[in-house]
Amino acid sequence: MTGIRPRRRGDRGSASVAIAIVFPAVAVLFLALAQAVMLAAAHQVALASAEEGLRVARAHDHTMDQGKSTALAFAHHEPVLIGPSVTASGTTTITVTVRGQAPSLLPGVHLSTTGTAAGVRERFTTPGPP
């Protein structure tokens, strides 16, 4: 029996202990990464909704309410933004803000996100002397 060493008494189960210590840390890191992805996706939907609402609200023949309803419809179309709400303000410079929550992987945790877009209202001018 050359080359085979008998197992020591202290070595028994050391791999199981190492796995029991490392696995929870890896699981927490995985959950944190997945939650970060959910939050980033919800933020992108909020921002895209605000930009879409701004596009409509700043048009020459549209109203602020039309921009708000467009932003809300866009936000409701994507299920990753929970409970969206829209505010719009301004006369010459319009600001549309969409707020909502990201889905949570942990019960009782609420992660809010906001997307804001601002732009100048379209207006027609006539060429000529000032």
Side-chain angles (χ1 to χ4, degrees), residues 5 26 52 57 61 64 74 86 91 96 103 109-110 112 120 130:
R5 292 191 286 174
V26 171
E52 187 66 17
D61 57 346
M64 197 82 68
F74 191 96
V86 179
T91 54
V96 178
V109 176
H110 303 287
S112 298
V120 179

Side-chain angles (χ1 to χ4, degrees), residues 59-104:
H60 178 68
D61 57 346
H62 289 117
T63 65
M64 197 82 68
D65 288 336
Q66 289 173 320
K68 285 170 62 174
S69 65
T70 299
L72 195 58
F74 191 96
H76 279 301
H77 185 69
E78 296 293 331
V80 74
L81 188 64
I82 299 170
S85 64
V86 179
T87 58
S89 61
T91 54
T92 58
T93 300
I94 298 173
T95 302
V96 178
T97 302
V98 177
R99 289 181 173 83
Q101 292 183 348
S104 177

